[in-house]
């Protein structure tokens, strides 16, 4: 095993040229003031600041999403405390590595030092490995800093969590990512050729992950300074093209398109013709059954919820009867779909929800609708203020379930077709109750 201190102290004798190092490594801050996006941990009244003021760190669990700065914070804390840092990855390390770390830590303790053991991805340790940390953490042989993307209440043993302070790191905000982008451009020596909207889009693509943002910057670093790219041109540089269909099967896709569009166009005779054409041509009936289910959810939707049930039943009937008897069930389902009321409201609503999810990234649920099965989670405010809808008038509390800081959006717009007429009335009623119970009245 290599020297545990080699990466931290002493400095390597022949460091690599800066240009050869990844941008994320070159931009690691040298002091806590340079850490972006985690200001809540560094406020004077925060526990971490009080520990540093006393000059002694407690064992810590750093819990946060990828790319939020957990490893960087651990390194900076060791530097701020002027103590040696030993680093392990739980992905690669085992019990033998822990023992060697403890032996080295005892030597450091004999010299009056308080060594810090940093374990990245600590949730990857099994229960035995986690239990192997307890004695040395408790007797002060090492100060443990563990980094994890998983909820400590579930991913770590209660005994280990009880010996550590849990610090929650947040995904990087858009402002923090733009600060990081500016630092990257300063390190590169030039600005990226992006207009204002493309810069914002680049931050959105990073989705709160600073490391991923810097990887994207490296992909764009060699672009010519002109012209400035907008969001669409940026997407062309960063996104992979989807694979094309095999043109040797063009007839297959033309015929399934004809069947689907005939159903959508409420033409039962044409739909039945294209179904027969495909079956006679040797198409797999199971493939056609799957496509009929797709039509039920895409083109009929909630205008006739029975369509999904019937197409699923047709698929099961074919499995029981096989060819040719089972094909009649597919024919009946095709006729039913063609004659059913049509609505793509659910299809459009899901597409709009997908676009919103991509735009807003990994915003967490508001605290009041998070479960709090552990004391740690309750202490962090999980579940506080939740209104149980079954206890509310009409079984409807009117609480907001969107993420904090995200405006309420409307995805589902029921049509005047079939059952969706009833759903439209229900949506309107719930909207009215929500306004009343949130104090907005009838405005």
């Amino acid at each position: 095993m290599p020297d545990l201190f080699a990466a931290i102290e002493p400095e390597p004798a022949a460091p690599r040229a800066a240009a050869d190092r990844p941008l994320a490594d070159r931009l690691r801050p040298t002091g806590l003031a340079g850490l972006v996006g985690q200001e809540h941990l560094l406020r004077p009244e925060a526990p971490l600041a009080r520990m540093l003021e006393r000059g002694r760190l407690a064992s810590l669990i750093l819990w946060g999403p990828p790319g939020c700065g957990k490893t960087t914070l651990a390194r900076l804390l060791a530097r701020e405390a002027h103590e040696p840092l030993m680093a392990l990855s739980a992905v690669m390390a085992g019990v033998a590595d822990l023992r060697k770390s403890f032996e080295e830590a005892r030597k450091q303790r004999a010299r009056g030092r308080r060594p810090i053991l940093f374990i990245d991805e600590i949730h990857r340790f099994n229960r035995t490995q986690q239990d192997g940390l307890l004695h040395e953490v408790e007797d002060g042989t090492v100060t443990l800093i563990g980094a994890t993307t998983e909820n400590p209440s579930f991913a770590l043993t209660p005994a280990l969590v009880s010996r550590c302070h849990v610090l929650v790191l947040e995904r990087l905000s858009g402002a923090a990512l733009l600060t990081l982008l500016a630092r990257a451009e300063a390190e590169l020596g030039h600005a990226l050729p992006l207009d204002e909207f493309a810069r914002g889009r680049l931050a959105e693509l990073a989705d709160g992950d600073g490391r991923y943002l810097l990887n994207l910057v490296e992909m764009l670093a060699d672009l010519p300074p002109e012209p400035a790219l907008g969001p669409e041109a940026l997407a062309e540089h960063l996104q992979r093209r989807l694979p094309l269909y095999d043109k040797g099967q063009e007839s297959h896709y033309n015929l399934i398109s004809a069947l689907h569009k005939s159903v959508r166009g409420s033409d039962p005779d044409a739909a039945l013709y294209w179904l027969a054409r495909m079956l006679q041509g040797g198409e797999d009936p199971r493939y056609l059954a799957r496509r009929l289910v797709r039509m039920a959810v895409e083109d009929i939707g909630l205008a006739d919820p029975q369509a999904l049930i019937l197409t699923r039943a047709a698929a099961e009937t074919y499995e029981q009867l096989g060819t040719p008897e089972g094909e009649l069930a597919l024919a009946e389902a095709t006729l039913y779909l063609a004659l059913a009321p049509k609505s793509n409201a659910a299809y459009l609503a899901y597409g709009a929800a997908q676009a919103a999810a991509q735009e807003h990234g990994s915003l967490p649920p508001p605290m009041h609708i998070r479960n709090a099965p552990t004391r740690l989670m309750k202490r962090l405010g999980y579940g506080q203020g939740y209104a149980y809808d079954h206890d509310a008038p009409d079984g409807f509390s009117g609480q907001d379930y969107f993420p904090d800081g995200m405006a309420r959006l409307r995805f589902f717009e029921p049509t005047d077709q079939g059952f969706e007429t009833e759903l439209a009335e229900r949506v309107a009623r719930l909207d009215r109750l929500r306004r009343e119970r949130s104090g907005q009245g009838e405005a």
Side-chain angles (χ1 to χ4, degrees):
M1 181 177 175
D3 183 1
L4 293 165
F5 298 94
I8 306 300
E9 54 176 34
E11 292 293 333
R16 287 187 294 169
D20 294 335
R21 292 159 52 206
L23 191 56
D25 186 48
R26 288 149 58 187
L27 286 177
R28 284 192 189 277
T30 57
L32 287 172
L35 188 69
V36 298
Q38 308 303 334
E39 291 78 11
H40 65 291
L41 296 179
L42 305 176
R43 293 194 301 263
E45 68 275 13
L48 189 56
R50 295 200 300 270
M51 291 181 202
L52 292 173
E53 186 178 355
R54 292 197 308 265
R56 183 170 181 177
L57 286 175
S59 290
L60 305 170
I61 299 296
L62 307 181
W63 171 26
C68 67
K70 298 184 293 295
T71 300
T72 296
L73 178 57
R75 291 173 177 266
L76 292 176
L77 290 175
R79 185 170 296 171
E80 193 78 15
H82 305 289
E83 297 294 356
L85 177 70
M86 300 180 291
L88 293 176
S89 169
V91 176
M92 303 295 294
V95 173
D97 300 301
L98 286 176
R99 288 174 180 159
K100 188 167 184 179
S101 300
F102 296 149
E103 290 173 5
E104 182 60 37
R106 292 187 185 96
K107 295 177 185 177
Q108 293 291 326
R109 289 282 291 166
R111 301 174 195 149
R113 310 296 299 274
R114 296 183 181 275
I116 295 171
L117 175 61
F118 173 62
I119 302 179
D120 197 16
E121 306 286 345
I122 193 170
H123 59 276
R124 299 292 190 94
F125 272 170
N126 59 35
R127 178 174 291 273
T128 299
Q129 291 168 312
Q130 292 183 37
D131 288 345
L133 294 166
L134 299 179
H135 182 267
E136 277 69 17
V137 170
E138 192 163 25
D139 71 6
T141 299
V142 295
T143 298
L144 174 67
I145 300 182
T148 178
T149 57
E150 304 293 328
N151 189 326
S153 296
F154 306 125
L156 303 180
T157 64
L160 184 58
V161 173
S162 70
R163 288 163 172 79
C164 302
H165 288 270
V166 177
L167 300 182
V168 182
L169 281 76
E170 298 174 350
R171 64 190 294 275
L172 299 190
S173 65
L177 289 168
L178 290 175
T179 297
L180 202 56
L181 174 58
R183 290 184 187 177
E185 290 175 323
E187 174 66 24
L188 294 172
H190 62 84
L192 296 180
L194 305 175
D195 66 19
E196 178 183 355
F197 301 103
R199 293 175 72 83
R201 182 58 184 151
L202 190 66
E204 290 174 0
L205 289 171
D207 194 18
D209 186 332
R211 183 169 50 245
Y212 184 59
L213 173 72
L214 297 178
N215 290 341
L216 295 178
V217 170
E218 287 189 306
M219 294 173 62
L220 303 169
D222 294 331
L223 289 175
E226 296 290 342
L229 305 180
E232 293 183 1
L234 174 66
E236 291 179 3
H237 282 278
L238 294 179
Q239 294 180 357
R240 279 193 239 166
R241 295 176 178 229
L242 294 174
L244 298 175
Y245 283 126
D246 181 0
K247 291 184 179 180
Q249 299 186 33
E250 182 178 356
S251 177
H252 162 85
Y253 292 107
N254 285 343
L255 265 62
I256 193 60
S257 178
L259 171 59
H260 197 146
K261 289 179 172 65
S262 298
V263 167
R264 182 181 295 153
S266 299
D267 189 334
D269 299 305
L272 206 57
Y273 168 77
W274 293 116
L275 177 75
R277 277 277 306 271
M278 296 190 78
L279 287 171
Q280 288 182 5
E283 183 58 72
D284 182 358
R286 294 177 178 84
Y287 168 76
L288 290 169
R290 292 194 299 270
R291 292 295 305 209
L292 292 172
V293 172
R294 167 68 185 268
M295 295 173 206
V297 295
E298 179 177 341
D299 291 294
I300 286 84
L302 293 174
D304 184 355
Q306 186 71 21
L308 177 58
I309 299 173
L310 190 142
T311 51
R312 288 290 306 277
E316 292 177 6
T317 300
Y318 178 81
E319 291 296 335
Q320 288 181 335
L321 299 181
T323 298
E325 293 88 347
E327 293 173 2
L328 180 57
L330 302 183
E332 289 183 5
T334 300
L335 291 171
Y336 188 95
L337 294 179
L339 293 170
K342 303 297 187 297
S343 171
N344 67 344
Y347 178 76
L348 295 177
Y350 180 56
Q354 284 182 306
Q358 185 176 20
E359 177 183 353
H360 292 281
S362 302
L363 292 176
M367 296 294 275
H368 68 276
I369 60 172
R370 300 189 202 180
N371 287 332
T374 70
R375 284 181 292 178
L376 168 64
M377 298 166 78
K378 290 177 182 176
R379 194 164 65 246
L380 292 172
Y382 282 41
Q384 291 183 7
Y386 173 62
Y388 188 57
D389 284 80
H390 292 293
D391 293 337
D394 306 302
F396 181 70
S397 68
Q399 279 195 317
D400 186 16
Y401 302 105
F402 277 90
D404 292 334
M406 179 178 170
R408 181 172 186 80
L409 300 176
R410 167 61 58 82
F411 302 127
F412 180 50
E413 296 285 356
T415 68
D416 59 357
Q417 298 295 310
F419 179 64
E420 284 192 7
T421 57
E422 296 183 36
L423 295 181
E425 294 173 2
R426 194 174 304 173
V427 167
R429 176 175 172 272
L430 292 175
D431 282 346
R432 176 177 57 79
L433 290 175
R434 186 176 289 109
R435 288 194 300 269
E436 292 174 357
R437 292 171 188 181
S438 64
Q440 298 177 25
E442 295 293 336

